[in-house]
Amino acid sequence: MGTPLPRDPIADAQRNWERHGWGEVAAPMAAITAIMRTQQILLARIEGVLKPFGLTFARYELLALLSFARSGALPMNKASALLQVHPTSVTNAVDRLEKAGLVVRSPHPTDGRTTLIELTSEGRTLAKRATTALNNEVFGQSGFGTDDVEHLIRVLGDFRKAAGDFAD
Amino acid sequence: MGTPLPRDPIADAQRNWERHGWGEVAAPMAAITAIMRTQQILLARIEGVLKPFGLTFARYELLALLSFARSGALPMNKASALLQVHPTSVTNAVDRLEKAGLVVRSPHPTDGRTTLIELTSEGRTLAKRATTALNNEVFGQSGFGTDDVEHLIRVLGDFRKAAGDFAD
DNA sequence: TCCGAACGCTTGGATGTCCTAGTATATTGC
DNA sequence: GCAATATACTAGGACATCCAAGCGTTCGGA
């Protein structure tokens, strides 16, 4: 977005919270705000890597999910649940992926309500290439130390579980 | 989005990554994906609390920022830099806040290019009330332990600094 | 058996984010 | 002093997300 700021704006916000009598919740506020900002940075990096492939993160996630499905196909509601996004978001992504020839919609063999999303061979190839790029350029250079990665996985996993994402 | 999944989809993705020969980057991938999902959950909670006030998170952030400015006013480019969003996003937020009577635009006294955003008294009052609600209903019940909060602030702070957010 | 409730997907609308381009004002350099 | 460059904001467009509604299909209890 531009040049680095002279000081960390989130640390400033934390101090402001404390100064206004909200010391009790200043730290969680800062942590949550940091998560929001970190997500924004990571998303920008990911989108940057995917752009040459004509993909966005939302579309890539769907392609990757399908590529791990045994048959290369999944019902739309299943994809919605696994990606944890609203069904209309999946409809949107499938529309565009289908237009790009990366997936096709097909009717469910036994349930007339359900639509299956199926990877085309182009889709499978592109998913592989995009995954390689993301692994090399983003996940392989996350900037997080090994211990920190483990800690994040644990802490955020507990949070997601408590939020009702999964039973496990 | 619905019922909890039987298993953690991110842990599954991590296993898929390992199974396909990407063991080296499977953990960072899982950590990053967890950050994306956690952000989504937190944002939904925040928006839920702000909805009764007629605010979204983007608009709230701008109100809060202004409420901490000595004069209750900031140039748009300053707000854009501090909130770390694109200038057009600030334009968008100000348009809506101004329509709601919470802020007003005024010309900069010495620089004809610059527009100042100024809190109205309604804006200041609403910011206070919304902050109280967020502190009580979100930040005060984040679900993160004290140690984890400190760890998140440190790890994500290092990450943001390395990403060029601030010099400090 | 059959009708109401539940489920699955899509359409339309509101928001937010970013990018690109355009207009106006300031600053800089010759 | 004036032209070239830089800065500040806004308009228009592409995407993504969610919610509310509508339509068709399936399930379940009387």
Side-chain angles (χ1 to χ4, degrees), chain A residues 60-87:
Chain A
Y60 167 76
E61 279 194 296
L62 185 50
L63 282 189
L65 183 63
L66 290 172
S67 75
F68 287 122
R70 276 277 165 262
S71 58
L74 277 178
M76 298 201 50
N77 64 333
K78 204 80 174 166
S80 169
L82 291 171
L83 297 176
Q84 308 189 265
V85 295
H86 199 277

Side-chain angles (χ1 to χ4, degrees), chain A residues 40 76-77 88 91 105 113-115:
Chain A
Q40 190 181 19
M76 298 201 50
N77 64 333
T88 54
T91 295
R105 271 183 245 243
R113 296 170 298 182
T114 300
T115 299

Side-chain angles (χ1 to χ4, degrees), chain B residues 12-48:
Chain B
D12 283 352
Q14 185 172 354
R15 278 187 284 274
N16 278 330
W17 242 246
E18 288 162 352
R19 195 154 46 74
H20 282 72
W22 289 108
E24 295 296 316
V25 299
M29 181 282 298
I32 288 173
T33 306
I35 290 170
M36 311 294 267
R37 173 58 184 156
T38 301
Q39 186 267 352
Q40 192 180 17
I41 293 168
L42 288 168
L43 181 58
R45 283 191 195 170
I46 291 171
E47 298 271 15

